[in-house]
Amino acid sequence: MPHKRMPLMTSSRAEATTTDDATCRMQGVDIGRPSSARLYDVLLNGKNNYEIDRRAAAEITSVAPEFIPSAAANREWRRRVVHHLVARADIRQFLDIGIGFPAEPDLHQTAQRFAPETRVVYVDHDPLVVAHAQALMTSNTAGAVTSMRADLRNPRAVLNSAELHRTLDFTRPVALVLTAIVDYLTDTDDPHHHLATLRDGLPPGSYLVLSHHSADFSPRAHTAAAVYAATDIDAPMTMRTHEEIARFFTGLEMLDPGVVRLPYWRPHMPLPRRRIAQIWLYGGVGHKTVGRH
């Protein structure tokens, strides 16, 4: 797919970028290499990115243009899941790890639209993402929103954070949201151990919401992942199979229809097969039922 056909940022939008060099230096952000958060922002046609991120996105999508509709589908899937958990499962607390730059409607906006008292903690390891979240992702008066810096690779630090427990009540169920973020943990990071730690730390009645890119849908996904790593990005992407992704839900009771391609998870309306074929992510929701520890 030629670069000129990609819905990436135009020059006028680039001039409107809110992330300036001075802010990056203050936050200790390296703008000399692509950032996974900023690259994802490019795929969503956002404005918090640099030319180096746009070049990396162009290289990746020249091999796999499916990354663009996949990014949009991932956001839409998260909205569907949050709506379901708030409206049908009576969930009022969310822990969202690996949030990326704000892109309305964000999780708290979706949840608080139906339940204004919903409380949300946003977590990201990127200091610039957290700074944006603290400035822009704010709660209504009935609920609460906190944004904090922490790393998925250190789940105990997340679970033991005073900021987390000031906002969320761990005597009540929490929905842990990991949308297209475990992809950035390599096998040497031991992601299954980190997920087990997080699952074990959730109160009974909680939910795990997880989506993940996969090469099951096309071998070009592996090629794209290799191109992704070759851009010297801060976090390379790991493709995993359906079986590997399903393992992240070990010990949980899966909500129907289980771990499926995102458009097949309780769609509001069916999508044409051509559009479904462009979405390279699986997603699922697991329930930590009462009595499971």
Side-chain angles (χ1 to χ4, degrees):
M1 183 176 184
H3 174 51
K4 67 181 181 179
R5 291 176 56 196
M6 291 177 56
L8 302 182
M9 182 189 298
T10 63
S11 58
S12 61
R13 291 198 69 183
E15 293 170 359
T17 300
T18 59
T19 304
D20 57 46
D21 291 2
T23 301
C24 285
R25 285 193 294 271
M26 288 175 60
Q27 297 291 341
V29 175
D30 182 3
I31 61 173
R33 65 188 301 198
S35 151
S36 53
R38 297 194 308 264
L39 190 149
Y40 207 75
D41 185 68
V42 176
L43 297 178
L44 291 170
N45 207 27
K47 62 182 181 179
N48 293 297
N49 52 74
Y50 286 88
E51 179 61 30
I52 195 167
D53 306 303
R54 297 189 287 276
R55 286 201 304 269
E59 290 179 37
I60 295 162
T61 54
S62 68
V63 175
E66 289 85 355
F67 271 62
I68 296 171
S70 291
N74 190 51
R75 286 277 177 160
E76 198 281 327
W77 178 76
R78 186 184 69 174
R79 286 194 290 271
R80 287 204 313 277
V81 173
V82 170
H83 181 199
H84 171 84
L85 292 178
V86 172
R88 301 292 182 86
D90 203 30
I91 291 295
R92 297 295 183 267
Q93 300 189 113
F94 290 85
L95 170 57
D96 187 359
I97 302 179
I99 57 176
F101 285 100
E104 294 188 353
D106 284 303
L107 187 153
H108 71 284
Q109 294 170 321
T110 300
Q112 290 182 348
R113 176 184 174 189
F114 297 97
E117 71 276 20
T118 299
R119 305 174 75 82
V120 178
V121 173
Y122 289 117
V123 178
D124 205 284
H125 80 285
D126 187 317
L128 203 58
V129 168
V130 175
H132 277 70
Q134 290 171 340
L136 300 174
M137 297 162 77
T138 57
S139 179
N140 60 26
T141 55
V145 171
T146 297
S147 300
M148 56 181 257
R149 187 180 179 190
D151 198 314
L152 180 58
R153 296 173 183 85
N154 190 352
R156 293 195 184 280
V158 175
L159 292 171
N160 295 333
S161 166
E163 291 175 277
L164 175 70
H165 291 281
R166 277 196 295 267
T167 303
L168 304 184
D169 176 3
F170 265 57
T171 67
R172 300 172 54 223
V174 175
L176 170 62
V177 180
L178 301 169
T179 49
I181 184 63
V182 181
D183 317 45
Y184 298 109
L185 299 185
T186 66
D187 290 341
T188 56
D189 288 322
D190 200 0
H192 289 285
H193 172 73
H194 296 328
L195 264 291
T197 300
L198 289 169
R199 290 194 310 265
D200 291 346
L202 294 175
S206 294
Y207 290 84
L208 170 62
V209 177
L210 184 145
S211 61
H212 198 299
H213 287 85
S214 177
D216 286 358
F217 310 114
S218 171
R220 284 188 294 109
H222 284 306
T223 305
V227 173
Y228 199 100
T231 65
D232 191 35
I233 199 160
D234 61 348
M237 178 177 284
T238 299
M239 297 289 165
R240 292 188 170 92
T241 65
H242 181 276
E243 182 180 2
E244 290 172 319
I245 295 166
R247 277 186 58 205
F248 291 124
F249 295 94
T250 298
L252 303 181
E253 182 180 285
M254 298 304 298
L255 271 61
D256 288 336
V259 178
V260 295
R261 203 171 195 163
L262 297 190
Y264 295 128
W265 199 94
R266 305 191 180 198
H268 290 162
M269 62 182 66
L271 289 179
R273 287 190 178 184
R274 178 183 58 82
R275 288 186 60 191
I276 292 174
Q278 296 175 332
I279 299 168
W280 287 358
L281 295 103
Y282 288 116
V285 180
H287 185 207
K288 184 175 181 178
T289 56
V290 175
R292 295 196 181 202
H293 301 283

